[in-house]
Amino acid sequence: MPADLAVIGLGPLGLPLAQAAVRAGIPTLGYDPGRAPATGQPAADRLDSGALSPADLRRMLAGGFHTTTDPAELGRVRTAVICAPTPRSAHGPLDLGQVTEAARVLATRLRPHTTVILESPVPPGTTEDTLRPLLEQGSGLRAGTDFHLAYAPSRLDPGSRSHSHSNTPQVIGGLTPACTESAAAFYARLTEKVVRARGLREAETVQLLETNYRHVNIALVNEMAVLCHELNVDLWDVVRCAETKPFGFQAFRPGPGVGGHAVPQELAGPPHLVRPLRMVELAQQINDHMPAYVVQRAAALLNEHGKSARAARVLLLGVTYKPDLADQQGSPAREIALRLTDLGASVSYHDPLVPSWSVLERPVPRAESLYEAAADADLTILLQQHRTYDLQGLSVKAQLLLDTRGAAPAGAAQRL
């Protein structure tokens, strides 16, 4: 069956989008030279994403989803969505290299009347100032006249059981009103509600605002956690009470750091209009300090019980960035493990979703028996609250338990 949709980039954004499209009955093609095998239909285990299980991938393949490394197939679809990753570069800004490469590949096969949509996180102005010229030069077609061009910020909530493509409103903004309507017609097949932005830059800035909103508010509550510890105030009780306010407050909770693929963006525009967002810079500094603060609290807790961090046996529970998800992108666990090791501690880990784990290419021992490992460790640190963890039982077995997620029953553990 010919594909109606091409998803370019089969990572944490692209695979869930392809999954939603397959569920909606849309013939879908996946293109990702870095992941798909050279020939034939891939086995599910070759598509590696922390967002989907092998069973999900097998169901997609059975539903008609297929991948290719042949760019020619991109010229046979009506809609192409670019979901290439944009990691932070070594110098700070987002690295758009994979987005521009995807645009170049697509441009050579672009046909008239195709709708091209960018979902990758990018600075405002990228779709028009970077993507558009690449597509026009490579295809000889004009955006807004010969093909439609739009931006749609990804609102994926990885691992969520309550928020999916179908019940999460999708924002879209096009180069022209016709571009907006063409993108809206596509997303209307996936979601119950489509929200039209005024244009490309407005839609791009929605993603900027939503991502930075999360990081700034997590930074606020992380800073409150440090302050409340110094004041001997139970922050978790403060948040519990504050979230009863029916207006003007949304509860965020502290943690050992901030992970995920949506990195905070300090730039409010394209390279020629660079303007740092001071609040975001400060929030990033606060959040980046949390792994060091966790280690500081761990060392102090050991010291209070007559133990030193040097040669202490420390067990880390949960090394992924989100509960019940195998994805480790941006997880603070690696920095915490590294800092503990630098102090001379002997670090091991347990995570039901991570069969093996390395820090700086050095394998970290995995605890096979959770309760035995907790009983043997001088200190157990809960970094991620997977559903399989019985915190009440762990608090009984563990010699010392530091809870960075506020998941253990009150009084059962030392909370962050």
Side-chain angles (χ1 to χ4, degrees):
M1 179 186 297
D4 187 34
L5 165 68
V7 177
I8 305 176
L10 300 180
L13 299 183
L15 272 178
L17 174 65
Q19 180 188 40
V22 171
R23 285 177 175 171
I26 301 174
T28 303
L29 164 73
Y31 180 86
D32 192 333
R35 293 179 186 268
T39 59
Q41 251 180 252
D45 58 4
R46 295 207 185 182
L47 294 172
D48 180 20
S49 168
L52 299 184
S53 69
D56 288 330
L57 295 171
R58 285 192 293 271
R59 280 191 288 269
M60 288 173 62
L61 295 170
F65 174 68
H66 71 283
T67 68
T68 184
T69 54
D70 181 4
E73 293 197 47
L74 300 178
R76 304 188 185 112
V77 300
R78 290 192 297 175
T79 305
V81 184
I82 297 176
C83 298
T86 54
R88 188 177 296 282
S89 69
H91 304 290
L94 297 183
D95 183 351
L96 303 179
Q98 295 185 62
V99 169
T100 57
E101 177 59 24
R104 290 189 181 98
V105 171
L106 176 62
T108 62
R109 304 293 179 173
L110 192 61
R111 296 189 308 170
H113 312 300
T114 304
T115 299
V116 180
I117 304 168
L118 178 62
E119 275 203 12
S120 305
V122 294
T126 300
T127 308
E128 185 169 6
D129 298 338
T130 301
L131 192 65
R132 179 183 180 180
L134 291 172
L135 293 172
E136 291 184 336
Q137 292 166 12
S139 66
L141 304 176
R142 291 183 59 193
T145 302
D146 301 316
F147 68 93
H148 299 298
L149 181 63
Y151 183 82
S154 176
R155 287 177 153 182
L156 182 67
D157 187 11
S160 174
R161 296 187 174 186
S162 55
H163 300 110
S164 64
H165 276 89
S166 64
N167 64 9
T168 301
Q170 179 63 61
V171 173
I172 52 95
L175 178 65
T176 66
C179 292
T180 298
E181 292 309 312
S182 181
F186 165 70
Y187 282 107
R189 302 168 72 181
L190 305 182
T191 183
E192 299 167 359
K193 184 176 182 180
V194 174
V195 180
R196 293 163 175 79
R198 181 170 292 181
L200 288 171
R201 292 173 187 257
E202 285 77 12
E204 291 167 327
T205 308
V206 168
Q207 184 273 327
L208 180 79
L209 176 60
E210 291 177 351
T211 298
N212 287 338
Y213 176 86
R214 171 177 175 254
H215 282 263
V216 167
N217 280 281
I218 291 175
L220 172 62
V221 77
N222 277 339
E223 195 165 32
M224 287 292 297
V226 177
L227 174 65
C228 286
H229 177 68
E230 294 171 353
L231 297 176
N232 196 28
V233 169
D234 185 346
L235 171 68
W236 305 93
D237 191 57
V238 172
V239 173
R240 179 185 65 84
C241 294
E243 67 182 342
T244 63
K245 185 179 180 182
F247 57 91
F249 182 82
Q250 180 182 358
F252 284 78
R253 287 169 173 77
V258 182
H261 297 265
V263 298
Q265 295 184 32
E266 299 174 3
L267 305 182
H272 62 282
L273 290 175
V274 171
R275 181 181 183 277
L277 297 175
R278 289 179 293 168
M279 186 173 290
V280 177
E281 289 180 317
L282 179 58
Q284 187 65 14
Q285 292 171 15
I286 294 170
N287 291 331
D288 285 348
H289 176 66
M290 290 309 292
Y293 178 69
V294 169
V295 173
Q296 175 189 329
R297 289 286 303 277
L301 184 58
L302 285 165
N303 188 59
E304 289 171 10
H305 289 79
K307 300 179 181 180
S308 169
R310 182 173 296 278
R313 298 181 302 274
V314 180
L315 174 66
L316 304 181
L317 301 185
V319 296
T320 62
Y321 92 87
K322 197 172 184 181
D324 306 312
L325 198 68
D327 200 332
Q328 300 172 46
Q329 178 68 34
S331 169
R334 278 193 171 82
E335 184 177 347
I336 291 170
L338 183 60
R339 287 178 175 273
L340 286 168
T341 301
D342 287 344
L343 289 178
S346 176
V347 178
S348 61
Y349 86 100
H350 179 277
D351 194 307
L353 303 175
V354 182
S356 62
W357 188 51
S358 297
V359 175
L360 293 182
E361 299 184 352
R362 297 178 181 175
V364 179
R366 185 179 191 273
E368 298 301 330
S369 175
L370 175 56
Y371 289 109
E372 288 181 13
D376 184 60
D378 296 304
L379 173 63
T380 299
I381 306 178
L382 177 71
L383 298 180
Q384 195 53 265
Q385 182 194 358
H386 295 308
R387 274 193 300 267
T388 56
Y389 287 152
D390 172 14
L391 276 302
Q392 181 68 60
L394 279 169
S395 66
V396 173
K397 293 289 185 180
Q399 296 185 43
L400 293 173
L401 178 59
L402 176 58
D403 176 9
T404 70
R405 297 292 181 179
Q414 179 78 34
R415 287 180 169 180
L416 190 64

